[in-house]
Amino acid sequence: MNRQNPNYDGEYGQQTAQEDMKGVQRKLTELFGNMDHDIPLLLFTDQTINSQYNDAMRAFIRAIREVSDRVSLREYDHNHELAQQYNINHFPTLLFDPDHISIRWLGAPVGEEGRTFVEALILLGYGKSGISNPSRNILEKITTPRTVKLFVSPTCPYCPQQAANALKAAIARPELISLEIIDIQANPDLAEQYNAFSVPVCYANDVMIAKGAQQEELFMASLEKLEQQNVFIPESDAEQVDTDLTIIGGGPSGLTAGIYAARSGLKAVIIERGALGGQVALTPVVENYPGFAQIGGKPLVDIMVSHALEYVPIFPDEEVMEIKKNQPFEILTNRRRYTARAILLATGASYRHLGVPGEERLSGNGVSYCSTCDGALFKGKEVIVVGGGDSALTDALYLANNDVRVTIVHRRNTFRAQDHLVSQLQKFNVQVIFDTEVQEIRGDKRVKEVILRNNITGEERTISVDGVFVAIGYEPAVELAHRTGLALDEDGFIKVDDHHRTSIPGIYAAGDVEGGYKQIVTAAGQGSGAAITIFEDLVNPYWITKEKKA
Ligand code: NAP
């Protein structure tokens, strides 16, 4: 409390209050008086429902209209034909300039939501989305419609920030993005339907994309990817990047190598063509990474990526097309050119496919390789998980835990998965069919049934399923290595010596692509080992030392 100020401690008089009000009005006039776009508002009310929200909405709009004639209001009763035309079934609902954008407010700007309402009017009144250039670049990647539902409440101080993000997106891409801001107190049925009891929570196309308030770019990225993003990596428009070490692959191995290389003083970068974190990002739960008794694969990846970004630039969504074996090496991607004194291939592995009829055709329509990505779509449905390793059992348990009815189909009669996972199957009511392989996956537009064959008796049977989760291991991603002329071992992994050196001096490999235990912790260990070797080799190149000795 400021004891120097006489207006405190009970001396806040009528005159001061009037002066304050004048100040507020001046501010409002400043904010709204110069708007150069009209904002037609359409309010739909039902006098028998939420009347206090109707009153609050009218009062708020009246106050704005006192300082700006750009805002107009037309009010309609719930049974007016326009309510049907705009598909309005919750009251009050306010439409902002419905001829040009698709933003509706279910509730009223009470409490904290007043800030959001003011933000909406200012953005619309000045005809600007106000988004940053990185946000704009992300939104430009969106090519299909997004129906955004943002749940807020009057007592949530974090909601206005997330609402501002959503408003900016809807204003920047009105042709594809529609937005509903939903007050959970005025609309308890919707809150119940979407399980939105902790706000802000945001859904796009009925997929939960964000819990809590986000930085603007992270919101845009979550909206684009239809999945919550926790790390924002700014895009680079450089045409050439000169490095000591170019790391290809942004899984645990590449990320760890980046941290170690940068800490050794090397100028390193990481290039990743797909999802950062590789397979870990798709692993539902990780229980064996030291320091984390239990953590989701994606949150673990986010932590690793944030950590790596403190040391090394990451270039996501970029594919290496060619490695030129000059000195320095040249790495050509679909975006730019890199030069490097050394290269680390940490390209990981990709899903193994069953190779049975129907698998490819129905991939994405019931056939899935990622339980965390697609599991929610199978709630209450019947699926099989194919495989008998850690992946198959982790996936089966994850799905069962999310109300999916799961049967594991395994080709032998013993699992190779850890006992800890096997012992939980019964508890989660996961059925198992041993000694059996999938012969065919059938369905017209979506998976309907699978044909199974018993490997002992040869007997075939058909079972009805809604989904097939394939979890039968991974193939090392060695196309680039193969094209570059690196030697592979008899199992198809990149051939390396004890120091991660490949058959070409200056090129190294680490992680699942060089074989070994294929654990997150071993991949990280291989990455650190490779980075240390690379640092030592660049200081004292073994190929030159070897030549000199010869
Ligand atoms: P994996 O250990 O190689 O197991 C693959 C499973 O799929 C095996 O049971 C195999 O059967 C079966 N399989 C292979 N090809 C098949 C085919 N064409 N048709 C039917 N079944 C087939 O692979 P993973 O489970 O994906 O694990 C890969 C590595 O990641 C492992 O080292 C694993 O420990 C690790 N991982 C660890 C965790 C964790 O620690 N949380 C989670 C996931 C993965 P057979 O048994 O008959 O060969």
Side-chain angles (χ1 to χ4, degrees), residues 279 283-289 351-356 386-395 409-418 421 436-438 455 470-475 512 516-520 522:
Q279 298 157 44
T283 303
V285 184
V286 176
E287 295 178 330
N288 53 8
Y289 193 76
Y351 306 115
R352 190 175 288 151
H353 288 214
L354 285 166
V356 298
V386 189
D390 286 339
S391 296
L393 270 71
T394 310
D395 286 0
V409 175
H410 180 34
R411 67 183 177 185
R412 290 187 300 123
N413 67 358
T414 51
F415 288 120
R416 67 171 65 222
Q418 301 163 40
L421 296 171
T436 298
E437 284 185 57
V438 175
N455 285 336
V470 181
I472 58 169
Y474 304 92
E475 299 287 352
D512 289 358
Y517 293 112
K518 301 188 214 76
Q519 301 295 303
I520 307 167
T522 54

Tab-separated table of all heavy atoms in Angstrom, residues 279 283-289 351-356 386-395 409-418 421 436-438 455 470-475 512 516-520 522, ligand 1:
chain	number	residue	atom	x	y	z
A	279	GLN	N	11.035	-41.801	-32.809
A	279	GLN	CA	10.024	-42.726	-32.277
A	279	GLN	C	9.572	-42.355	-30.870
A	279	GLN	O	8.450	-42.661	-30.476
A	279	GLN	CB	10.599	-44.132	-32.198
A	279	GLN	CG	11.000	-44.722	-33.504
A	279	GLN	CD	12.019	-45.807	-33.247
A	279	GLN	OE1	11.864	-46.608	-32.347
A	279	GLN	NE2	13.078	-45.822	-34.032
A	283	THR	N	5.887	-42.543	-28.554
A	283	THR	CA	5.757	-43.542	-27.487
A	283	THR	C	4.820	-43.004	-26.414
A	283	THR	O	5.014	-41.905	-25.909
A	283	THR	CB	7.145	-43.832	-26.867
A	283	THR	OG1	8.006	-44.248	-27.919
A	283	THR	CG2	7.068	-44.906	-25.808
A	284	PRO	N	3.768	-43.764	-26.081
A	284	PRO	CA	2.790	-43.223	-25.139
A	284	PRO	C	3.406	-42.867	-23.782
A	284	PRO	O	3.227	-41.754	-23.299
A	284	PRO	CB	1.768	-44.350	-24.980
A	284	PRO	CG	1.974	-45.261	-26.128
A	284	PRO	CD	3.385	-45.101	-26.570
A	285	VAL	N	4.107	-43.824	-23.208
A	285	VAL	CA	4.653	-43.591	-21.866
A	285	VAL	C	6.073	-44.139	-21.815
A	285	VAL	O	6.339	-45.232	-22.314
A	285	VAL	CB	3.821	-44.331	-20.789
A	285	VAL	CG1	4.341	-43.990	-19.396
A	285	VAL	CG2	2.360	-43.981	-20.889
A	286	VAL	N	6.974	-43.379	-21.229
A	286	VAL	CA	8.353	-43.848	-21.044
A	286	VAL	C	8.579	-43.992	-19.540
A	286	VAL	O	8.307	-43.072	-18.772
A	286	VAL	CB	9.356	-42.833	-21.638
A	286	VAL	CG1	10.787	-43.266	-21.364
A	286	VAL	CG2	9.109	-42.665	-23.130
A	287	GLU	N	9.048	-45.185	-19.147
A	287	GLU	CA	9.212	-45.432	-17.702
A	287	GLU	C	10.633	-45.819	-17.349
A	287	GLU	O	10.898	-46.249	-16.229
A	287	GLU	CB	8.270	-46.558	-17.253
A	287	GLU	CG	6.801	-46.198	-17.387
A	287	GLU	CD	5.882	-47.335	-16.989
A	287	GLU	OE1	6.276	-48.503	-17.163
A	287	GLU	OE2	4.786	-47.040	-16.510
A	288	ASN	N	11.527	-45.731	-18.364
A	288	ASN	CA	12.881	-46.210	-18.072
A	288	ASN	C	13.956	-45.208	-18.488
A	288	ASN	O	15.069	-45.586	-18.788
A	288	ASN	CB	13.128	-47.572	-18.748
A	288	ASN	CG	12.814	-47.533	-20.232
A	288	ASN	OD1	12.558	-46.459	-20.772
A	288	ASN	ND2	12.849	-48.676	-20.882
A	289	TYR	N	13.585	-43.939	-18.533
A	289	TYR	CA	14.591	-42.911	-18.797
A	289	TYR	C	14.953	-42.299	-17.448
A	289	TYR	O	14.080	-41.726	-16.776
A	289	TYR	CB	14.053	-41.850	-19.765
A	289	TYR	CG	15.144	-40.964	-20.289
A	289	TYR	CD1	16.006	-41.434	-21.275
A	289	TYR	CD2	15.328	-39.686	-19.791
A	289	TYR	CE1	17.035	-40.628	-21.751
A	289	TYR	CE2	16.354	-38.889	-20.262
A	289	TYR	CZ	17.205	-39.362	-21.237
A	289	TYR	OH	18.223	-38.575	-21.697
A	351	TYR	N	8.963	-47.202	-39.006
A	351	TYR	CA	8.103	-48.356	-38.698
A	351	TYR	C	8.280	-49.488	-39.694
A	351	TYR	O	8.293	-49.269	-40.898
A	351	TYR	CB	6.621	-47.969	-38.785
A	351	TYR	CG	6.221	-46.806	-37.967
A	351	TYR	CD1	5.769	-45.648	-38.573
A	351	TYR	CD2	6.275	-46.859	-36.592
A	351	TYR	CE1	5.370	-44.565	-37.830
A	351	TYR	CE2	5.882	-45.774	-35.836
A	351	TYR	CZ	5.442	-44.638	-36.459
A	351	TYR	OH	5.059	-43.571	-35.730
A	352	ARG	N	8.308	-50.701	-39.163
A	352	ARG	CA	8.258	-51.864	-40.058
A	352	ARG	C	6.778	-52.097	-40.404
A	352	ARG	O	5.902	-51.941	-39.553
A	352	ARG	CB	8.821	-53.073	-39.308
A	352	ARG	CG	9.054	-54.270	-40.183
A	352	ARG	CD	9.723	-55.380	-39.402
A	352	ARG	NE	11.112	-55.079	-39.102
A	352	ARG	CZ	11.750	-55.550	-38.027
A	352	ARG	NH1	11.132	-56.310	-37.160
A	352	ARG	NH2	13.018	-55.266	-37.824
A	353	HIS	N	6.529	-52.459	-41.660
A	353	HIS	CA	5.151	-52.722	-42.094
A	353	HIS	C	4.905	-54.224	-42.176
A	353	HIS	O	5.841	-54.998	-42.372
A	353	HIS	CB	4.897	-52.082	-43.463
A	353	HIS	CG	4.797	-50.579	-43.394
A	353	HIS	ND1	3.977	-49.839	-44.207
A	353	HIS	CD2	5.407	-49.687	-42.581
A	353	HIS	CE1	4.089	-48.555	-43.898
A	353	HIS	NE2	4.965	-48.442	-42.917
A	354	LEU	N	3.651	-54.610	-42.044
A	354	LEU	CA	3.318	-56.033	-42.129
A	354	LEU	C	3.469	-56.547	-43.557
A	354	LEU	O	3.830	-57.699	-43.772
A	354	LEU	CB	1.866	-56.249	-41.686
A	354	LEU	CG	1.589	-56.174	-40.186
A	354	LEU	CD1	0.089	-56.063	-39.945
A	354	LEU	CD2	2.155	-57.396	-39.476
A	355	GLY	N	3.135	-55.674	-44.495
A	355	GLY	CA	3.222	-56.072	-45.905
A	355	GLY	C	2.095	-57.001	-46.324
A	355	GLY	O	2.241	-57.803	-47.239
A	356	VAL	N	0.939	-56.911	-45.653
A	356	VAL	CA	-0.194	-57.775	-46.032
A	356	VAL	C	-1.202	-56.970	-46.844
A	356	VAL	O	-1.227	-55.736	-46.758
A	356	VAL	CB	-0.892	-58.367	-44.775
A	356	VAL	CG1	0.069	-59.247	-43.988
A	356	VAL	CG2	-1.489	-57.265	-43.894
A	386	VAL	N	-0.615	-55.554	-33.274
A	386	VAL	CA	0.197	-56.660	-33.794
A	386	VAL	C	1.633	-56.503	-33.306
A	386	VAL	O	2.226	-55.429	-33.448
A	386	VAL	CB	0.172	-56.672	-35.338
A	386	VAL	CG1	0.836	-57.944	-35.872
A	386	VAL	CG2	-1.253	-56.563	-35.841
A	387	GLY	N	2.204	-57.585	-32.757
A	387	GLY	CA	3.592	-57.555	-32.294
A	387	GLY	C	3.711	-58.126	-30.889
A	387	GLY	O	2.700	-58.282	-30.184
A	388	GLY	N	4.955	-58.406	-30.511
A	388	GLY	CA	5.159	-59.000	-29.186
A	388	GLY	C	6.325	-58.365	-28.447
A	388	GLY	O	6.827	-58.928	-27.470
A	389	GLY	N	6.771	-57.172	-28.903
A	389	GLY	CA	7.900	-56.487	-28.259
A	389	GLY	C	7.418	-55.380	-27.335
A	389	GLY	O	6.217	-55.239	-27.067
A	390	ASP	N	8.361	-54.583	-26.871
A	390	ASP	CA	8.022	-53.480	-25.949
A	390	ASP	C	7.022	-52.516	-26.574
A	390	ASP	O	6.114	-52.027	-25.901
A	390	ASP	CB	9.293	-52.706	-25.569
A	390	ASP	CG	10.152	-53.483	-24.594
A	390	ASP	OD1	9.616	-54.384	-23.922
A	390	ASP	OD2	11.357	-53.193	-24.518
A	391	SER	N	7.196	-52.238	-27.865
A	391	SER	CA	6.294	-51.273	-28.509
A	391	SER	C	4.867	-51.791	-28.491
A	391	SER	O	3.934	-51.063	-28.138
A	391	SER	CB	6.680	-51.034	-29.970
A	391	SER	OG	7.925	-50.449	-30.052
A	392	ALA	N	4.670	-53.051	-28.899
A	392	ALA	CA	3.313	-53.598	-28.986
A	392	ALA	C	2.655	-53.579	-27.613
A	392	ALA	O	1.491	-53.179	-27.474
A	392	ALA	CB	3.363	-55.029	-29.534
A	393	LEU	N	3.386	-53.967	-26.591
A	393	LEU	CA	2.761	-54.026	-25.264
A	393	LEU	C	2.528	-52.638	-24.682
A	393	LEU	O	1.493	-52.377	-24.069
A	393	LEU	CB	3.574	-54.918	-24.310
A	393	LEU	CG	3.090	-56.385	-24.389
A	393	LEU	CD1	3.491	-57.040	-25.701
A	393	LEU	CD2	3.557	-57.194	-23.213
A	394	THR	N	3.480	-51.732	-24.916
A	394	THR	CA	3.276	-50.352	-24.434
A	394	THR	C	2.046	-49.767	-25.118
A	394	THR	O	1.197	-49.134	-24.475
A	394	THR	CB	4.502	-49.468	-24.751
A	394	THR	OG1	5.667	-50.132	-24.300
A	394	THR	CG2	4.428	-48.115	-24.075
A	395	ASP	N	1.940	-49.979	-26.429
A	395	ASP	CA	0.786	-49.442	-27.175
A	395	ASP	C	-0.515	-50.062	-26.677
A	395	ASP	O	-1.519	-49.370	-26.482
A	395	ASP	CB	0.935	-49.736	-28.675
A	395	ASP	CG	1.979	-48.846	-29.319
A	395	ASP	OD1	2.563	-48.012	-28.604
A	395	ASP	OD2	2.216	-48.989	-30.531
A	409	VAL	N	-2.158	-59.514	-31.150
A	409	VAL	CA	-1.954	-60.678	-32.019
A	409	VAL	C	-0.444	-60.824	-32.203
A	409	VAL	O	0.211	-59.920	-32.745
A	409	VAL	CB	-2.651	-60.466	-33.386
A	409	VAL	CG1	-2.342	-61.618	-34.327
A	409	VAL	CG2	-4.154	-60.305	-33.193
A	410	HIS	N	0.090	-61.954	-31.722
A	410	HIS	CA	1.544	-62.140	-31.767
A	410	HIS	C	1.872	-63.445	-32.487
A	410	HIS	O	1.213	-64.460	-32.276
A	410	HIS	CB	2.102	-62.143	-30.343
A	410	HIS	CG	3.588	-62.334	-30.276
A	410	HIS	ND1	4.450	-61.841	-31.241
A	410	HIS	CD2	4.366	-62.984	-29.375
A	410	HIS	CE1	5.690	-62.171	-30.918
A	410	HIS	NE2	5.660	-62.869	-29.800
A	411	ARG	N	2.922	-63.422	-33.283
A	411	ARG	CA	3.188	-64.581	-34.141
A	411	ARG	C	3.786	-65.776	-33.393
A	411	ARG	O	3.794	-66.881	-33.920
A	411	ARG	CB	4.072	-64.168	-35.311
A	411	ARG	CG	5.484	-63.752	-34.933
A	411	ARG	CD	6.232	-63.300	-36.162
A	411	ARG	NE	7.571	-62.828	-35.816
A	411	ARG	CZ	8.403	-62.288	-36.696
A	411	ARG	NH1	8.029	-62.139	-37.947
A	411	ARG	NH2	9.596	-61.886	-36.324
A	412	ARG	N	4.340	-65.552	-32.206
A	412	ARG	CA	4.889	-66.691	-31.429
A	412	ARG	C	4.072	-66.857	-30.149
A	412	ARG	O	3.065	-66.180	-29.960
A	412	ARG	CB	6.347	-66.415	-31.072
A	412	ARG	CG	7.283	-66.456	-32.267
A	412	ARG	CD	8.729	-66.349	-31.870
A	412	ARG	NE	9.014	-65.103	-31.174
A	412	ARG	CZ	9.550	-65.032	-29.960
A	412	ARG	NH1	9.843	-66.137	-29.288
A	412	ARG	NH2	9.804	-63.860	-29.401
A	413	ASN	N	4.520	-67.756	-29.251
A	413	ASN	CA	3.746	-67.930	-28.022
A	413	ASN	C	4.441	-67.355	-26.789
A	413	ASN	O	4.043	-67.615	-25.668
A	413	ASN	CB	3.355	-69.393	-27.795
A	413	ASN	CG	4.576	-70.249	-27.508
A	413	ASN	OD1	5.697	-69.736	-27.526
A	413	ASN	ND2	4.384	-71.519	-27.248
A	414	THR	N	5.523	-66.610	-27.016
A	414	THR	CA	6.126	-65.848	-25.898
A	414	THR	C	6.435	-64.431	-26.385
A	414	THR	O	6.739	-64.224	-27.567
A	414	THR	CB	7.456	-66.464	-25.411
A	414	THR	OG1	8.289	-66.666	-26.553
A	414	THR	CG2	7.251	-67.752	-24.643
A	415	PHE	N	6.338	-63.510	-25.431
A	415	PHE	CA	6.641	-62.124	-25.776
A	415	PHE	C	8.132	-61.868	-25.635
A	415	PHE	O	8.804	-62.516	-24.835
A	415	PHE	CB	5.910	-61.180	-24.807
A	415	PHE	CG	4.432	-61.121	-25.021
A	415	PHE	CD1	3.555	-61.477	-23.998
A	415	PHE	CD2	3.908	-60.704	-26.235
A	415	PHE	CE1	2.197	-61.414	-24.184
A	415	PHE	CE2	2.538	-60.635	-26.429
A	415	PHE	CZ	1.683	-60.995	-25.400
A	416	ARG	N	8.618	-60.904	-26.405
A	416	ARG	CA	10.000	-60.457	-26.167
A	416	ARG	C	10.000	-59.154	-25.338
A	416	ARG	O	11.037	-58.630	-25.001
A	416	ARG	CB	10.781	-60.306	-27.464
A	416	ARG	CG	10.315	-59.216	-28.385
A	416	ARG	CD	11.292	-58.997	-29.544
A	416	ARG	NE	11.374	-60.156	-30.416
A	416	ARG	CZ	12.505	-60.638	-30.920
A	416	ARG	NH1	13.656	-60.058	-30.629
A	416	ARG	NH2	12.502	-61.670	-31.726
A	417	ALA	N	8.804	-58.672	-25.015
A	417	ALA	CA	8.694	-57.432	-24.216
A	417	ALA	C	9.125	-57.681	-22.770
A	417	ALA	O	9.144	-58.823	-22.295
A	417	ALA	CB	7.247	-56.946	-24.240
A	418	GLN	N	9.435	-56.579	-22.077
A	418	GLN	CA	9.850	-56.682	-20.678
A	418	GLN	C	8.720	-57.281	-19.822
A	418	GLN	O	7.550	-56.988	-20.037
A	418	GLN	CB	10.155	-55.285	-20.136
A	418	GLN	CG	11.246	-54.549	-20.886
A	418	GLN	CD	11.210	-53.054	-20.575
A	418	GLN	OE1	10.987	-52.638	-19.452
A	418	GLN	NE2	11.409	-52.243	-21.604
A	421	LEU	N	5.927	-55.146	-18.435
A	421	LEU	CA	4.798	-54.821	-19.311
A	421	LEU	C	3.854	-56.015	-19.417
A	421	LEU	O	2.628	-55.866	-19.347
A	421	LEU	CB	5.316	-54.411	-20.695
A	421	LEU	CG	6.162	-53.128	-20.743
A	421	LEU	CD1	6.790	-52.937	-22.119
A	421	LEU	CD2	5.302	-51.903	-20.404
A	436	THR	N	-0.097	-66.462	-33.958
A	436	THR	CA	-1.031	-66.048	-35.019
A	436	THR	C	-0.507	-64.833	-35.772
A	436	THR	O	0.075	-63.932	-35.178
A	436	THR	CB	-2.406	-65.718	-34.379
A	436	THR	OG1	-2.896	-66.911	-33.777
A	436	THR	CG2	-3.407	-65.224	-35.389
A	437	GLU	N	-0.720	-64.863	-37.096
A	437	GLU	CA	-0.301	-63.714	-37.916
A	437	GLU	C	-1.488	-63.135	-38.680
A	437	GLU	O	-2.457	-63.850	-38.974
A	437	GLU	CB	0.772	-64.154	-38.910
A	437	GLU	CG	2.120	-64.324	-38.240
A	437	GLU	CD	3.233	-64.633	-39.221
A	437	GLU	OE1	3.430	-63.830	-40.142
A	437	GLU	OE2	3.883	-65.679	-39.053
A	438	VAL	N	-1.383	-61.859	-38.995
A	438	VAL	CA	-2.424	-61.207	-39.795
A	438	VAL	C	-2.167	-61.549	-41.262
A	438	VAL	O	-1.050	-61.376	-41.755
A	438	VAL	CB	-2.386	-59.670	-39.602
A	438	VAL	CG1	-3.378	-58.975	-40.513
A	438	VAL	CG2	-2.645	-59.306	-38.145
A	455	ASN	N	-0.392	-70.080	-36.792
A	455	ASN	CA	0.860	-70.614	-37.369
A	455	ASN	C	1.088	-72.087	-37.069
A	455	ASN	O	1.887	-72.738	-37.731
A	455	ASN	CB	2.047	-69.824	-36.803
A	455	ASN	CG	2.146	-68.465	-37.436
A	455	ASN	OD1	1.661	-68.252	-38.550
A	455	ASN	ND2	2.753	-67.520	-36.743
A	470	VAL	N	-0.120	-51.480	-35.793
A	470	VAL	CA	1.027	-52.310	-36.160
A	470	VAL	C	2.225	-51.838	-35.343
A	470	VAL	O	2.624	-50.673	-35.424
A	470	VAL	CB	1.314	-52.181	-37.678
A	470	VAL	CG1	2.496	-53.065	-38.071
A	470	VAL	CG2	0.077	-52.532	-38.479
A	471	ALA	N	2.791	-52.746	-34.538
A	471	ALA	CA	3.925	-52.372	-33.674
A	471	ALA	C	4.943	-53.513	-33.716
A	471	ALA	O	5.180	-54.198	-32.724
A	471	ALA	CB	3.437	-52.129	-32.253
A	472	ILE	N	5.512	-53.711	-34.897
A	472	ILE	CA	6.378	-54.885	-35.079
A	472	ILE	C	7.840	-54.474	-35.280
A	472	ILE	O	8.599	-55.167	-35.943
A	472	ILE	CB	5.886	-55.752	-36.262
A	472	ILE	CG1	5.846	-54.944	-37.560
A	472	ILE	CG2	4.516	-56.358	-35.953
A	472	ILE	CD1	5.641	-55.791	-38.803
A	473	GLY	N	8.211	-53.363	-34.699
A	473	GLY	CA	9.616	-52.967	-34.756
A	473	GLY	C	9.891	-51.956	-35.847
A	473	GLY	O	8.962	-51.417	-36.474
A	474	TYR	N	11.142	-51.706	-36.052
A	474	TYR	CA	11.555	-50.612	-36.933
A	474	TYR	C	12.642	-51.075	-37.892
A	474	TYR	O	13.407	-51.983	-37.600
A	474	TYR	CB	12.118	-49.457	-36.088
A	474	TYR	CG	11.152	-48.971	-35.050
A	474	TYR	CD1	11.167	-49.499	-33.764
A	474	TYR	CD2	10.221	-47.996	-35.361
A	474	TYR	CE1	10.265	-49.052	-32.807
A	474	TYR	CE2	9.320	-47.551	-34.415
A	474	TYR	CZ	9.349	-48.076	-33.142
A	474	TYR	OH	8.458	-47.642	-32.199
A	475	GLU	N	12.710	-50.406	-39.013
A	475	GLU	CA	13.800	-50.617	-39.972
A	475	GLU	C	14.714	-49.403	-39.873
A	475	GLU	O	14.219	-48.271	-39.855
A	475	GLU	CB	13.259	-50.665	-41.407
A	475	GLU	CG	12.261	-51.769	-41.696
A	475	GLU	CD	12.901	-53.132	-41.773
A	475	GLU	OE1	14.160	-53.196	-41.757
A	475	GLU	OE2	12.161	-54.122	-41.816
A	512	ASP	N	19.736	-45.436	-33.213
A	512	ASP	CA	19.147	-46.676	-33.750
A	512	ASP	C	19.672	-47.051	-35.121
A	512	ASP	O	19.644	-48.218	-35.501
A	512	ASP	CB	17.615	-46.524	-33.846
A	512	ASP	CG	16.975	-46.528	-32.470
A	512	ASP	OD1	17.713	-46.676	-31.474
A	512	ASP	OD2	15.740	-46.385	-32.401
A	516	GLY	N	22.305	-51.823	-32.065
A	516	GLY	CA	22.502	-51.803	-30.612
A	516	GLY	C	21.190	-51.980	-29.879
A	516	GLY	O	20.245	-52.567	-30.418
A	517	TYR	N	21.114	-51.440	-28.685
A	517	TYR	CA	19.973	-51.738	-27.802
A	517	TYR	C	18.697	-50.994	-28.149
A	517	TYR	O	17.623	-51.333	-27.687
A	517	TYR	CB	20.360	-51.430	-26.352
A	517	TYR	CG	21.414	-52.355	-25.817
A	517	TYR	CD1	22.694	-51.900	-25.529
A	517	TYR	CD2	21.126	-53.705	-25.613
A	517	TYR	CE1	23.660	-52.750	-25.041
A	517	TYR	CE2	22.092	-54.564	-25.125
A	517	TYR	CZ	23.368	-54.084	-24.838
A	517	TYR	OH	24.310	-54.934	-24.359
A	518	LYS	N	18.797	-49.941	-28.892
A	518	LYS	CA	17.614	-49.156	-29.315
A	518	LYS	C	16.746	-48.702	-28.145
A	518	LYS	O	15.532	-48.829	-28.126
A	518	LYS	CB	16.784	-49.939	-30.320
A	518	LYS	CG	17.545	-50.307	-31.553
A	518	LYS	CD	16.626	-50.897	-32.582
A	518	LYS	CE	17.301	-51.954	-33.392
A	518	LYS	NZ	17.463	-53.216	-32.675
A	519	GLN	N	17.371	-48.181	-27.139
A	519	GLN	CA	16.661	-47.550	-26.014
A	519	GLN	C	16.905	-46.048	-26.114
A	519	GLN	O	17.891	-45.610	-26.712
A	519	GLN	CB	17.217	-48.070	-24.687
A	519	GLN	CG	17.116	-49.562	-24.523
A	519	GLN	CD	15.673	-50.020	-24.467
A	519	GLN	OE1	14.905	-49.580	-23.625
A	519	GLN	NE2	15.299	-50.891	-25.382
A	520	ILE	N	16.039	-45.277	-25.488
A	520	ILE	CA	16.214	-43.822	-25.550
A	520	ILE	C	17.545	-43.457	-24.893
A	520	ILE	O	18.319	-42.641	-25.399
A	520	ILE	CB	15.059	-43.094	-24.825
A	520	ILE	CG1	13.728	-43.589	-25.368
A	520	ILE	CG2	15.167	-41.587	-24.977
A	520	ILE	CD1	12.537	-43.171	-24.529
A	522	THR	N	20.178	-45.315	-24.518
A	522	THR	CA	21.379	-45.724	-25.261
A	522	THR	C	21.572	-44.829	-26.483
A	522	THR	O	22.693	-44.492	-26.853
A	522	THR	CB	21.329	-47.209	-25.683
A	522	THR	OG1	20.123	-47.453	-26.389
A	522	THR	CG2	21.449	-48.143	-24.492
B	1	NAP	P1	11.093	-55.456	-31.442
B	1	NAP	O1	11.612	-55.554	-30.064
B	1	NAP	O2	11.972	-55.754	-32.584
B	1	NAP	O3	9.833	-56.420	-31.510
B	1	NAP	C1	9.097	-56.551	-32.701
B	1	NAP	C2	7.966	-57.520	-32.440
B	1	NAP	O4	7.196	-57.620	-33.631
B	1	NAP	C3	8.452	-58.912	-32.109
B	1	NAP	O5	7.612	-59.497	-31.163
B	1	NAP	C4	8.367	-59.617	-33.453
B	1	NAP	O6	8.058	-60.986	-33.314
B	1	NAP	C5	7.180	-58.952	-34.085
B	1	NAP	N1	7.300	-58.944	-35.542
B	1	NAP	C6	8.350	-58.517	-36.303
B	1	NAP	N2	8.076	-58.614	-37.614
B	1	NAP	C7	6.810	-59.133	-37.688
B	1	NAP	C8	5.941	-59.457	-38.762
B	1	NAP	N3	6.299	-59.284	-40.044
B	1	NAP	N4	4.728	-59.971	-38.461
B	1	NAP	C9	4.353	-60.128	-37.179
B	1	NAP	N5	5.118	-59.840	-36.117
B	1	NAP	C10	6.338	-59.339	-36.373
B	1	NAP	O7	10.471	-54.018	-31.770
B	1	NAP	P2	9.819	-52.943	-30.788
B	1	NAP	O8	8.869	-53.570	-29.846
B	1	NAP	O9	9.300	-51.894	-31.684
B	1	NAP	O10	11.052	-52.376	-29.993
B	1	NAP	C11	12.182	-51.829	-30.702
B	1	NAP	C12	13.236	-51.419	-29.690
B	1	NAP	O11	12.742	-50.294	-28.956
B	1	NAP	C13	13.502	-52.503	-28.674
B	1	NAP	O12	14.849	-52.508	-28.361
B	1	NAP	C14	12.673	-52.091	-27.485
B	1	NAP	O13	13.214	-52.547	-26.254
B	1	NAP	C15	12.710	-50.588	-27.587
B	1	NAP	N6	11.491	-50.013	-26.992
B	1	NAP	C16	11.556	-49.700	-25.682
B	1	NAP	C17	10.442	-49.177	-25.060
B	1	NAP	C18	10.523	-48.849	-23.621
B	1	NAP	O14	11.507	-49.182	-23.009
B	1	NAP	N7	9.553	-48.181	-23.044
B	1	NAP	C19	9.246	-48.980	-25.756
B	1	NAP	C20	9.218	-49.313	-27.114
B	1	NAP	C21	10.356	-49.841	-27.706
B	1	NAP	P3	9.140	-62.029	-32.721
B	1	NAP	O15	9.139	-61.793	-31.243
B	1	NAP	O16	8.596	-63.323	-33.138
B	1	NAP	O17	10.432	-61.656	-33.392
